Amino acid sequence: MIRIFNLTFLVFLFLVTKANSLIEIDITRGNLDPLPIAVSPLFQNDVSKKNSISELKIENVGSEISSVVENNLKTSGLFNPLSKEAFLQKPDIAHLKPRFEDWALIKAQALITGKVTIENKKLKVEFRLWDILAGREMMALAFTTVPSNWRRVGHIISDKVYERLTGEKGYFDTRIIYVSEEGPKTARVKKLAIMDQDGFNTKYLTLGNELVLTPRFNPTSQMVTYLSYFKNLPRVYLLDIETGTQEVVGDFPGMTFAPRFSPDGKKIIMSFAKDGNSDIYTMDLENRIVERITNHPSIDTSPSYSPDNRFITFNSDRSGYQQIYVMKSDGSNVKRISFGKGLYGTPVWSPRGDLIAFTKLHKGKFYIGVMRTDGSGERLLTENYYQEAPSWSPNGRVLIFYRETKSNDKGEGFSAKLWSIDLTGYNERQVQTETDASDPSWSSLLSN
Amino acid sequence: MYRGLLISSGFHVAIVAVSILALPFVAKKPLDIPPLISVELIQIAEKTNIPFAPKASKIIEKAKKENQKLLSEQAPPKKVKKDKKKEVQTDKNKNEISKLASKKTPTSDNKIEKLKKEKLNAVPMPDEDKQKIQPKEEKKQKPSKEINDENIKKIVQTKKPILDEKKVKQVSEFEKKEKLDLNEIAALIDKKKENLAETKKEQDKISQSSDNTMDYSKLTLSEEDALKAQIFTCWSVPIGLPFSEDLLVRVKLQLKPDGTIEKLEMMDHVKMNTPGKEKFRTLADSVRRAIQLCNPLKVPSSGYERWKNMILNFDARDMLGG
């Protein structure tokens, strides 16, 4: 009897297991096409429109903000903003409750709607992000600021949307500092300039009397360190963007160059050259204590900290050719990581910490590339006649660098422009600047 | 003198013999034609479901054994008349037919003899044809291993295939070959038998839904690949996500027969609202969008029970792993 019972139980168990064994399919691939997104113009009522004209000299600031958002998302290469002409629903109704069928019809997968009001010299912007396919709201936020900040509101909305849909922080509410260049190649006037990452709101920080090079943002505040020639001696300077005050960093009896902040913003790391030898030094900005990091008869330069402050990458010709090295932040445990053909320079540690960007010179061509921090997985993203000085976006996805064109014997045809490229190597774009530009440096997110 | 002649002729004979035996062109051997390699084009779907073949071969072996057994049992020619016995012994198919006839219901194969007889007669009138096609109710017969006169009579008397009985299964390609359909041949001769041949063809169709030998727990490779290919195009992977082991989203789907998604269940839905798991939520959102974009899924045309419920594992680790 017990045997029969056991047997029945086993058969039952088998059947249950059989019934529950569902088909499982592993999906390990997807497409990397840009996500189709509809950015509806932000709705603005008539009163706000009047206020907008009086405050900003812009008739429809809602539409302008949506254009900023649209442009940001498009340049990221990850989104495909759909043409506004195809939109079936008006902005005011869409913001209250979008008809998802209408938006699905134009193949949108996400939708941004919003509303702008300007009252009492205050700009209030509400926006919502909708998932068209699921028919639900994904995010809703409101910002209040002074009306002149409307572009920045557009950048912040772009960052929020970008983060919600891609899973990583955005990089739109950021600024870029660079060296503005004007005039013929033999007599260039170089000034420090700062602008929004999309090329708007350019401001000049120096007058162009002295030669300036390699400006670098402090990751935590609005400070800039750069190289300037004073009385024909290159020295590292510190500039407060808000106050405009400048100071020389350290009192070195020689040339200092290639400065960069540590990730916590407390130190400046740079090269100091004396008697034909250059080594890497740090200076604490609080107590002004200078510390020597490398001590080698070769040229060590272009130092850059890892985001956790524990390591430093730099380039050195100690092997006979200029190559990239990594060491602990106290200068110990120096390891060469680049072993490819050609010369490697300007290593920059990614804010994510996983990659190091560099410039490579091989057979007369310049490359911008990335490699892992142990030197493996080298990938060259772009090749050109002359390009260098990559700088990471704060999310570690995009690199900005500058590219020069070849001039003829008379110095004609020369130009220097800023370019950006993302890690895929496909989304290469020129960054608009008012003048020729070189040596860009990307700030961290302003809204953080 | 004679000795020399003998030696000479001996040598000559030897040389001629060696020439005939040793030289290949003298031997005139028949050309060694390599055997023909027959290639059968089959549907991949029928072969990729692995448990199919072993099961089928077992069934075939079993069927063959039963046939042999039947033959040996039929050996004593006591009750079977000479002409009937011959027929049974010479045609294995007939054995099978008789077996089917005795166990289940008669199929179109059972009418071979009758059809042959009819062929001998004058061209049948249209009325007669109509009668043939009309389905007749058949009495179920008890299985009997012995073939007696009654059995044979019944086989012979069976005129029509049972049109609504379409569950005659063919377990494998091998058995398919063995089932030679004389109706088709008859149809070539007599156009009026085309109906019967068509019916047989319908019965012979191997459908995944009706085939017992299919493994119900999984899809064939081609079915799975077709589904994957469709979902690949719908899934926009959030490529901004940093690599981690948390890049796997499991979704349970309940589907309608036409592939429309009836129910979508995120298997780790708790994670979606957990603070600090925003990246997982982003990935899960992209998965949800992919499924909705692919709705309805291009599901296999048969075997609904197999894929009515399925789990999709969206794994972005390969794509975001660098």
Side-chain angles (χ1 to χ4, degrees), chain A residues 28-29 31-32 166-167 352 354 372 397, chain B residues 235-244 246-248 279 282-283 286 315-322:
Chain A
T28 52
R29 285 201 339 248
N31 69 65
L32 301 177
T166 68
R352 277 191 193 181
D354 54 348
R372 293 199 191 101
R397 161 153 295 277
Chain B
W235 188 27
S236 292
V237 183
I239 55 174
L241 290 172
F243 177 78
S244 72
D246 210 13
L247 295 175
L248 175 70
K279 290 180 173 64
T282 299
L283 189 67
S286 77
D315 190 349
R317 286 174 292 196
D318 277 358
M319 292 195 76
L320 302 174

PDB file of all heavy atoms in Angstrom, chain A residues 28-29 31-32 166-167 352 354 372 397, chain B residues 235-244 246-248 279 282-283 286 315-322:
ATOM      1  N   THR A  28      20.566  37.899 -25.344  1.00  0.00           N
ATOM      2  CA  THR A  28      21.872  38.463 -24.980  1.00  0.00           C
ATOM      3  C   THR A  28      22.295  39.584 -25.917  1.00  0.00           C
ATOM      4  O   THR A  28      23.390  40.110 -25.777  1.00  0.00           O
ATOM      5  CB  THR A  28      22.959  37.362 -25.024  1.00  0.00           C
ATOM      6  OG1 THR A  28      22.884  36.727 -26.297  1.00  0.00           O
ATOM      7  CG2 THR A  28      22.743  36.344 -23.936  1.00  0.00           C
ATOM      8  N   ARG A  29      21.428  39.900 -26.871  1.00  0.00           N
ATOM      9  CA  ARG A  29      21.781  40.985 -27.789  1.00  0.00           C
ATOM     10  C   ARG A  29      20.609  41.945 -27.925  1.00  0.00           C
ATOM     11  O   ARG A  29      19.464  41.574 -27.714  1.00  0.00           O
ATOM     12  CB  ARG A  29      22.114  40.424 -29.168  1.00  0.00           C
ATOM     13  CG  ARG A  29      23.451  39.755 -29.231  1.00  0.00           C
ATOM     14  CD  ARG A  29      24.009  39.652 -30.650  1.00  0.00           C
ATOM     15  NE  ARG A  29      23.068  39.746 -31.719  1.00  0.00           N
ATOM     16  CZ  ARG A  29      22.759  38.725 -32.532  1.00  0.00           C
ATOM     17  NH1 ARG A  29      23.271  37.561 -32.315  1.00  0.00           N
ATOM     18  NH2 ARG A  29      21.945  38.906 -33.542  1.00  0.00           N
ATOM     19  N   ASN A  31      19.626  46.059 -29.873  1.00  0.00           N
ATOM     20  CA  ASN A  31      20.146  47.005 -30.856  1.00  0.00           C
ATOM     21  C   ASN A  31      20.698  48.238 -30.148  1.00  0.00           C
ATOM     22  O   ASN A  31      20.321  48.542 -29.016  1.00  0.00           O
ATOM     23  CB  ASN A  31      19.074  47.376 -31.890  1.00  0.00           C
ATOM     24  CG  ASN A  31      17.963  48.195 -31.308  1.00  0.00           C
ATOM     25  OD1 ASN A  31      18.187  49.323 -30.875  1.00  0.00           O
ATOM     26  ND2 ASN A  31      16.755  47.652 -31.255  1.00  0.00           N
ATOM     27  N   LEU A  32      21.599  48.910 -30.804  1.00  0.00           N
ATOM     28  CA  LEU A  32      22.199  50.109 -30.233  1.00  0.00           C
ATOM     29  C   LEU A  32      21.732  51.347 -30.990  1.00  0.00           C
ATOM     30  O   LEU A  32      22.399  52.379 -30.998  1.00  0.00           O
ATOM     31  CB  LEU A  32      23.738  49.995 -30.264  1.00  0.00           C
ATOM     32  CG  LEU A  32      24.309  48.799 -29.515  1.00  0.00           C
ATOM     33  CD1 LEU A  32      25.810  48.724 -29.672  1.00  0.00           C
ATOM     34  CD2 LEU A  32      23.971  48.888 -28.031  1.00  0.00           C
ATOM     35  N   THR A 166      19.088  56.089 -19.780  1.00  0.00           N
ATOM     36  CA  THR A 166      20.314  55.339 -20.100  1.00  0.00           C
ATOM     37  C   THR A 166      20.941  54.685 -18.881  1.00  0.00           C
ATOM     38  O   THR A 166      21.765  53.791 -19.010  1.00  0.00           O
ATOM     39  CB  THR A 166      21.389  56.240 -20.729  1.00  0.00           C
ATOM     40  OG1 THR A 166      21.846  57.165 -19.741  1.00  0.00           O
ATOM     41  CG2 THR A 166      20.886  56.975 -21.942  1.00  0.00           C
ATOM     42  N   GLY A 167      20.587  55.154 -17.702  1.00  0.00           N
ATOM     43  CA  GLY A 167      21.145  54.535 -16.512  1.00  0.00           C
ATOM     44  C   GLY A 167      22.433  55.164 -16.029  1.00  0.00           C
ATOM     45  O   GLY A 167      23.001  54.726 -15.038  1.00  0.00           O
ATOM     46  N   ARG A 352      34.991  57.405 -14.440  1.00  0.00           N
ATOM     47  CA  ARG A 352      34.459  56.100 -14.034  1.00  0.00           C
ATOM     48  C   ARG A 352      35.544  55.227 -13.416  1.00  0.00           C
ATOM     49  O   ARG A 352      35.253  54.274 -12.716  1.00  0.00           O
ATOM     50  CB  ARG A 352      33.939  55.345 -15.252  1.00  0.00           C
ATOM     51  CG  ARG A 352      32.567  55.690 -15.698  1.00  0.00           C
ATOM     52  CD  ARG A 352      32.184  54.644 -16.717  1.00  0.00           C
ATOM     53  NE  ARG A 352      31.008  54.991 -17.466  1.00  0.00           N
ATOM     54  CZ  ARG A 352      30.482  54.208 -18.396  1.00  0.00           C
ATOM     55  NH1 ARG A 352      31.052  53.054 -18.676  1.00  0.00           N
ATOM     56  NH2 ARG A 352      29.423  54.572 -19.055  1.00  0.00           N
ATOM     57  N   ASP A 354      37.606  53.215 -15.073  1.00  0.00           N
ATOM     58  CA  ASP A 354      37.914  51.966 -15.772  1.00  0.00           C
ATOM     59  C   ASP A 354      38.849  52.144 -16.963  1.00  0.00           C
ATOM     60  O   ASP A 354      39.436  51.181 -17.438  1.00  0.00           O
ATOM     61  CB  ASP A 354      36.615  51.292 -16.240  1.00  0.00           C
ATOM     62  CG  ASP A 354      35.735  52.220 -17.066  1.00  0.00           C
ATOM     63  OD1 ASP A 354      36.025  53.442 -17.088  1.00  0.00           O
ATOM     64  OD2 ASP A 354      34.763  51.752 -17.672  1.00  0.00           O
ATOM     65  N   ARG A 372      42.464  50.132 -20.978  1.00  0.00           N
ATOM     66  CA  ARG A 372      42.146  49.853 -19.582  1.00  0.00           C
ATOM     67  C   ARG A 372      43.313  50.288 -18.711  1.00  0.00           C
ATOM     68  O   ARG A 372      44.413  50.518 -19.210  1.00  0.00           O
ATOM     69  CB  ARG A 372      41.876  48.353 -19.391  1.00  0.00           C
ATOM     70  CG  ARG A 372      40.621  47.920 -20.104  1.00  0.00           C
ATOM     71  CD  ARG A 372      40.094  46.590 -19.571  1.00  0.00           C
ATOM     72  NE  ARG A 372      39.058  46.098 -20.466  1.00  0.00           N
ATOM     73  CZ  ARG A 372      39.245  45.144 -21.374  1.00  0.00           C
ATOM     74  NH1 ARG A 372      40.420  44.565 -21.476  1.00  0.00           N
ATOM     75  NH2 ARG A 372      38.268  44.765 -22.163  1.00  0.00           N
ATOM     76  N   ARG A 397      31.752  59.052 -20.590  1.00  0.00           N
ATOM     77  CA  ARG A 397      31.279  58.476 -21.857  1.00  0.00           C
ATOM     78  C   ARG A 397      31.828  59.189 -23.076  1.00  0.00           C
ATOM     79  O   ARG A 397      32.006  58.584 -24.131  1.00  0.00           O
ATOM     80  CB  ARG A 397      29.743  58.520 -21.879  1.00  0.00           C
ATOM     81  CG  ARG A 397      29.108  58.383 -23.252  1.00  0.00           C
ATOM     82  CD  ARG A 397      27.750  57.807 -23.218  1.00  0.00           C
ATOM     83  NE  ARG A 397      27.807  56.446 -22.731  1.00  0.00           N
ATOM     84  CZ  ARG A 397      28.107  55.399 -23.493  1.00  0.00           C
ATOM     85  NH1 ARG A 397      28.358  55.548 -24.768  1.00  0.00           N
ATOM     86  NH2 ARG A 397      28.156  54.202 -22.991  1.00  0.00           N
TER      87      ARG A 397
ATOM     88  N   TRP B 235      14.865  45.447 -28.736  1.00  0.00           N
ATOM     89  CA  TRP B 235      15.482  45.835 -27.459  1.00  0.00           C
ATOM     90  C   TRP B 235      16.583  46.880 -27.666  1.00  0.00           C
ATOM     91  O   TRP B 235      17.645  46.575 -28.185  1.00  0.00           O
ATOM     92  CB  TRP B 235      16.046  44.586 -26.775  1.00  0.00           C
ATOM     93  CG  TRP B 235      16.525  44.836 -25.382  1.00  0.00           C
ATOM     94  CD1 TRP B 235      16.077  45.802 -24.523  1.00  0.00           C
ATOM     95  CD2 TRP B 235      17.544  44.117 -24.672  1.00  0.00           C
ATOM     96  NE1 TRP B 235      16.748  45.723 -23.333  1.00  0.00           N
ATOM     97  CE2 TRP B 235      17.647  44.699 -23.390  1.00  0.00           C
ATOM     98  CE3 TRP B 235      18.362  43.041 -24.987  1.00  0.00           C
ATOM     99  CZ2 TRP B 235      18.550  44.231 -22.434  1.00  0.00           C
ATOM    100  CZ3 TRP B 235      19.253  42.573 -24.037  1.00  0.00           C
ATOM    101  CH2 TRP B 235      19.339  43.171 -22.782  1.00  0.00           C
ATOM    102  N   SER B 236      16.272  48.098 -27.272  1.00  0.00           N
ATOM    103  CA  SER B 236      17.292  49.147 -27.273  1.00  0.00           C
ATOM    104  C   SER B 236      18.000  49.081 -25.927  1.00  0.00           C
ATOM    105  O   SER B 236      17.461  49.493 -24.902  1.00  0.00           O
ATOM    106  CB  SER B 236      16.644  50.519 -27.441  1.00  0.00           C
ATOM    107  OG  SER B 236      16.111  50.640 -28.721  1.00  0.00           O
ATOM    108  N   VAL B 237      19.197  48.562 -25.943  1.00  0.00           N
ATOM    109  CA  VAL B 237      19.928  48.362 -24.688  1.00  0.00           C
ATOM    110  C   VAL B 237      20.414  49.726 -24.169  1.00  0.00           C
ATOM    111  O   VAL B 237      20.987  50.502 -24.921  1.00  0.00           O
ATOM    112  CB  VAL B 237      21.148  47.447 -24.924  1.00  0.00           C
ATOM    113  CG1 VAL B 237      21.866  47.166 -23.617  1.00  0.00           C
ATOM    114  CG2 VAL B 237      20.710  46.161 -25.568  1.00  0.00           C
ATOM    115  N   PRO B 238      20.151  50.043 -22.905  1.00  0.00           N
ATOM    116  CA  PRO B 238      20.673  51.291 -22.362  1.00  0.00           C
ATOM    117  C   PRO B 238      22.196  51.190 -22.212  1.00  0.00           C
ATOM    118  O   PRO B 238      22.689  50.666 -21.218  1.00  0.00           O
ATOM    119  CB  PRO B 238      19.999  51.421 -20.998  1.00  0.00           C
ATOM    120  CG  PRO B 238      19.035  50.304 -20.908  1.00  0.00           C
ATOM    121  CD  PRO B 238      19.436  49.269 -21.900  1.00  0.00           C
ATOM    122  N   ILE B 239      22.888  51.650 -23.223  1.00  0.00           N
ATOM    123  CA  ILE B 239      24.336  51.372 -23.254  1.00  0.00           C
ATOM    124  C   ILE B 239      25.119  52.228 -22.267  1.00  0.00           C
ATOM    125  O   ILE B 239      26.321  52.063 -22.145  1.00  0.00           O
ATOM    126  CB  ILE B 239      24.916  51.518 -24.681  1.00  0.00           C
ATOM    127  CG1 ILE B 239      24.592  52.894 -25.242  1.00  0.00           C
ATOM    128  CG2 ILE B 239      24.424  50.421 -25.588  1.00  0.00           C
ATOM    129  CD1 ILE B 239      25.248  53.144 -26.578  1.00  0.00           C
ATOM    130  N   GLY B 240      24.424  53.116 -21.583  1.00  0.00           N
ATOM    131  CA  GLY B 240      25.119  53.912 -20.575  1.00  0.00           C
ATOM    132  C   GLY B 240      25.336  53.169 -19.273  1.00  0.00           C
ATOM    133  O   GLY B 240      26.108  53.603 -18.427  1.00  0.00           O
ATOM    134  N   LEU B 241      24.659  52.044 -19.111  1.00  0.00           N
ATOM    135  CA  LEU B 241      24.766  51.340 -17.832  1.00  0.00           C
ATOM    136  C   LEU B 241      26.169  50.798 -17.608  1.00  0.00           C
ATOM    137  O   LEU B 241      26.723  50.160 -18.494  1.00  0.00           O
ATOM    138  CB  LEU B 241      23.777  50.171 -17.810  1.00  0.00           C
ATOM    139  CG  LEU B 241      22.303  50.531 -17.726  1.00  0.00           C
ATOM    140  CD1 LEU B 241      21.460  49.286 -17.919  1.00  0.00           C
ATOM    141  CD2 LEU B 241      21.984  51.175 -16.402  1.00  0.00           C
ATOM    142  N   PRO B 242      26.732  51.063 -16.446  1.00  0.00           N
ATOM    143  CA  PRO B 242      28.048  50.488 -16.169  1.00  0.00           C
ATOM    144  C   PRO B 242      27.923  48.987 -15.958  1.00  0.00           C
ATOM    145  O   PRO B 242      26.887  48.509 -15.492  1.00  0.00           O
ATOM    146  CB  PRO B 242      28.488  51.202 -14.890  1.00  0.00           C
ATOM    147  CG  PRO B 242      27.238  51.682 -14.262  1.00  0.00           C
ATOM    148  CD  PRO B 242      26.234  51.878 -15.346  1.00  0.00           C
ATOM    149  N   PHE B 243      28.971  48.277 -16.282  1.00  0.00           N
ATOM    150  CA  PHE B 243      28.920  46.818 -16.178  1.00  0.00           C
ATOM    151  C   PHE B 243      28.814  46.384 -14.715  1.00  0.00           C
ATOM    152  O   PHE B 243      29.518  46.891 -13.850  1.00  0.00           O
ATOM    153  CB  PHE B 243      30.165  46.192 -16.804  1.00  0.00           C
ATOM    154  CG  PHE B 243      30.189  44.706 -16.667  1.00  0.00           C
ATOM    155  CD1 PHE B 243      29.412  43.921 -17.498  1.00  0.00           C
ATOM    156  CD2 PHE B 243      30.955  44.098 -15.693  1.00  0.00           C
ATOM    157  CE1 PHE B 243      29.401  42.548 -17.369  1.00  0.00           C
ATOM    158  CE2 PHE B 243      30.957  42.721 -15.559  1.00  0.00           C
ATOM    159  CZ  PHE B 243      30.183  41.955 -16.398  1.00  0.00           C
ATOM    160  N   SER B 244      27.899  45.481 -14.460  1.00  0.00           N
ATOM    161  CA  SER B 244      27.828  44.853 -13.141  1.00  0.00           C
ATOM    162  C   SER B 244      27.139  43.509 -13.330  1.00  0.00           C
ATOM    163  O   SER B 244      26.644  43.207 -14.413  1.00  0.00           O
ATOM    164  CB  SER B 244      27.042  45.723 -12.160  1.00  0.00           C
ATOM    165  OG  SER B 244      25.667  45.678 -12.479  1.00  0.00           O
ATOM    166  N   ASP B 246      24.466  42.796 -12.116  1.00  0.00           N
ATOM    167  CA  ASP B 246      23.044  43.036 -11.932  1.00  0.00           C
ATOM    168  C   ASP B 246      22.353  43.387 -13.252  1.00  0.00           C
ATOM    169  O   ASP B 246      21.324  44.032 -13.265  1.00  0.00           O
ATOM    170  CB  ASP B 246      22.873  44.191 -10.939  1.00  0.00           C
ATOM    171  CG  ASP B 246      21.590  44.048 -10.141  1.00  0.00           C
ATOM    172  OD1 ASP B 246      21.002  42.959 -10.194  1.00  0.00           O
ATOM    173  OD2 ASP B 246      21.185  45.031  -9.505  1.00  0.00           O
ATOM    174  N   LEU B 247      22.933  42.958 -14.342  1.00  0.00           N
ATOM    175  CA  LEU B 247      22.390  43.358 -15.639  1.00  0.00           C
ATOM    176  C   LEU B 247      21.533  42.262 -16.272  1.00  0.00           C
ATOM    177  O   LEU B 247      21.529  42.076 -17.470  1.00  0.00           O
ATOM    178  CB  LEU B 247      23.533  43.741 -16.594  1.00  0.00           C
ATOM    179  CG  LEU B 247      24.339  44.971 -16.189  1.00  0.00           C
ATOM    180  CD1 LEU B 247      25.511  45.182 -17.128  1.00  0.00           C
ATOM    181  CD2 LEU B 247      23.461  46.212 -16.205  1.00  0.00           C
ATOM    182  N   LEU B 248      20.838  41.526 -15.430  1.00  0.00           N
ATOM    183  CA  LEU B 248      19.972  40.452 -15.934  1.00  0.00           C
ATOM    184  C   LEU B 248      18.532  40.731 -15.497  1.00  0.00           C
ATOM    185  O   LEU B 248      18.261  40.882 -14.310  1.00  0.00           O
ATOM    186  CB  LEU B 248      20.444  39.099 -15.394  1.00  0.00           C
ATOM    187  CG  LEU B 248      19.567  37.902 -15.733  1.00  0.00           C
ATOM    188  CD1 LEU B 248      19.642  37.569 -17.211  1.00  0.00           C
ATOM    189  CD2 LEU B 248      19.977  36.696 -14.916  1.00  0.00           C
ATOM    190  N   LYS B 279      19.599  51.676 -11.676  1.00  0.00           N
ATOM    191  CA  LYS B 279      20.153  51.159 -12.938  1.00  0.00           C
ATOM    192  C   LYS B 279      19.400  49.910 -13.381  1.00  0.00           C
ATOM    193  O   LYS B 279      19.164  49.702 -14.567  1.00  0.00           O
ATOM    194  CB  LYS B 279      21.649  50.886 -12.783  1.00  0.00           C
ATOM    195  CG  LYS B 279      22.436  52.173 -12.652  1.00  0.00           C
ATOM    196  CD  LYS B 279      23.903  51.926 -12.500  1.00  0.00           C
ATOM    197  CE  LYS B 279      24.669  53.228 -12.538  1.00  0.00           C
ATOM    198  NZ  LYS B 279      24.342  54.123 -11.408  1.00  0.00           N
ATOM    199  N   THR B 282      16.196  51.064 -14.879  1.00  0.00           N
ATOM    200  CA  THR B 282      16.389  51.539 -16.249  1.00  0.00           C
ATOM    201  C   THR B 282      16.445  50.363 -17.221  1.00  0.00           C
ATOM    202  O   THR B 282      15.820  50.386 -18.280  1.00  0.00           O
ATOM    203  CB  THR B 282      17.694  52.352 -16.344  1.00  0.00           C
ATOM    204  OG1 THR B 282      17.569  53.477 -15.476  1.00  0.00           O
ATOM    205  CG2 THR B 282      17.960  52.817 -17.752  1.00  0.00           C
ATOM    206  N   LEU B 283      17.176  49.344 -16.822  1.00  0.00           N
ATOM    207  CA  LEU B 283      17.288  48.158 -17.685  1.00  0.00           C
ATOM    208  C   LEU B 283      15.933  47.462 -17.817  1.00  0.00           C
ATOM    209  O   LEU B 283      15.522  47.069 -18.918  1.00  0.00           O
ATOM    210  CB  LEU B 283      18.338  47.200 -17.110  1.00  0.00           C
ATOM    211  CG  LEU B 283      18.723  46.026 -17.985  1.00  0.00           C
ATOM    212  CD1 LEU B 283      19.458  46.505 -19.227  1.00  0.00           C
ATOM    213  CD2 LEU B 283      19.598  45.040 -17.233  1.00  0.00           C
ATOM    214  N   SER B 286      13.714  49.234 -20.143  1.00  0.00           N
ATOM    215  CA  SER B 286      14.070  48.996 -21.551  1.00  0.00           C
ATOM    216  C   SER B 286      13.549  47.634 -22.006  1.00  0.00           C
ATOM    217  O   SER B 286      13.116  47.469 -23.146  1.00  0.00           O
ATOM    218  CB  SER B 286      15.582  49.095 -21.757  1.00  0.00           C
ATOM    219  OG  SER B 286      16.219  47.936 -21.299  1.00  0.00           O
ATOM    220  N   ASP B 315      19.790  39.573 -20.858  1.00  0.00           N
ATOM    221  CA  ASP B 315      21.112  39.631 -20.223  1.00  0.00           C
ATOM    222  C   ASP B 315      21.977  40.646 -20.975  1.00  0.00           C
ATOM    223  O   ASP B 315      22.405  40.397 -22.096  1.00  0.00           O
ATOM    224  CB  ASP B 315      21.739  38.231 -20.283  1.00  0.00           C
ATOM    225  CG  ASP B 315      22.993  38.147 -19.440  1.00  0.00           C
ATOM    226  OD1 ASP B 315      23.471  39.203 -19.008  1.00  0.00           O
ATOM    227  OD2 ASP B 315      23.482  37.020 -19.218  1.00  0.00           O
ATOM    228  N   ALA B 316      22.216  41.779 -20.333  1.00  0.00           N
ATOM    229  CA  ALA B 316      22.995  42.844 -20.996  1.00  0.00           C
ATOM    230  C   ALA B 316      24.476  42.752 -20.664  1.00  0.00           C
ATOM    231  O   ALA B 316      25.247  43.606 -21.090  1.00  0.00           O
ATOM    232  CB  ALA B 316      22.441  44.199 -20.590  1.00  0.00           C
ATOM    233  N   ARG B 317      24.860  41.722 -19.932  1.00  0.00           N
ATOM    234  CA  ARG B 317      26.253  41.656 -19.476  1.00  0.00           C
ATOM    235  C   ARG B 317      27.240  41.536 -20.626  1.00  0.00           C
ATOM    236  O   ARG B 317      28.309  42.126 -20.604  1.00  0.00           O
ATOM    237  CB  ARG B 317      26.442  40.505 -18.482  1.00  0.00           C
ATOM    238  CG  ARG B 317      25.852  40.826 -17.123  1.00  0.00           C
ATOM    239  CD  ARG B 317      25.909  39.666 -16.191  1.00  0.00           C
ATOM    240  NE  ARG B 317      25.017  38.583 -16.616  1.00  0.00           N
ATOM    241  CZ  ARG B 317      24.655  37.594 -15.840  1.00  0.00           C
ATOM    242  NH1 ARG B 317      25.082  37.532 -14.604  1.00  0.00           N
ATOM    243  NH2 ARG B 317      23.850  36.646 -16.279  1.00  0.00           N
ATOM    244  N   ASP B 318      26.854  40.750 -21.640  1.00  0.00           N
ATOM    245  CA  ASP B 318      27.752  40.593 -22.790  1.00  0.00           C
ATOM    246  C   ASP B 318      27.928  41.906 -23.539  1.00  0.00           C
ATOM    247  O   ASP B 318      29.004  42.234 -24.004  1.00  0.00           O
ATOM    248  CB  ASP B 318      27.182  39.545 -23.757  1.00  0.00           C
ATOM    249  CG  ASP B 318      27.544  38.149 -23.327  1.00  0.00           C
ATOM    250  OD1 ASP B 318      28.259  38.045 -22.311  1.00  0.00           O
ATOM    251  OD2 ASP B 318      27.116  37.182 -23.971  1.00  0.00           O
ATOM    252  N   MET B 319      26.819  42.628 -23.663  1.00  0.00           N
ATOM    253  CA  MET B 319      26.860  43.862 -24.449  1.00  0.00           C
ATOM    254  C   MET B 319      27.542  45.007 -23.714  1.00  0.00           C
ATOM    255  O   MET B 319      28.151  45.866 -24.325  1.00  0.00           O
ATOM    256  CB  MET B 319      25.444  44.296 -24.820  1.00  0.00           C
ATOM    257  CG  MET B 319      24.789  43.360 -25.792  1.00  0.00           C
ATOM    258  SD  MET B 319      23.356  44.102 -26.520  1.00  0.00           S
ATOM    259  CE  MET B 319      24.063  45.213 -27.695  1.00  0.00           C
ATOM    260  N   LEU B 320      27.423  45.005 -22.398  1.00  0.00           N
ATOM    261  CA  LEU B 320      27.977  46.123 -21.634  1.00  0.00           C
ATOM    262  C   LEU B 320      29.275  45.745 -20.931  1.00  0.00           C
ATOM    263  O   LEU B 320      29.835  46.542 -20.197  1.00  0.00           O
ATOM    264  CB  LEU B 320      26.957  46.614 -20.603  1.00  0.00           C
ATOM    265  CG  LEU B 320      25.612  47.063 -21.194  1.00  0.00           C
ATOM    266  CD1 LEU B 320      24.629  47.382 -20.090  1.00  0.00           C
ATOM    267  CD2 LEU B 320      25.789  48.272 -22.094  1.00  0.00           C
ATOM    268  N   GLY B 321      29.708  44.536 -21.195  1.00  0.00           N
ATOM    269  CA  GLY B 321      30.923  44.069 -20.523  1.00  0.00           C
ATOM    270  C   GLY B 321      32.192  44.644 -21.090  1.00  0.00           C
ATOM    271  O   GLY B 321      33.274  44.365 -20.625  1.00  0.00           O
ATOM    272  N   GLY B 322      32.088  45.466 -22.109  1.00  0.00           N
ATOM    273  CA  GLY B 322      33.294  46.070 -22.705  1.00  0.00           C
ATOM    274  C   GLY B 322      33.565  45.359 -23.964  1.00  0.00           C
ATOM    275  O   GLY B 322      34.317  45.628 -24.767  1.00  0.00           O
TER     276      GLY B 322
END
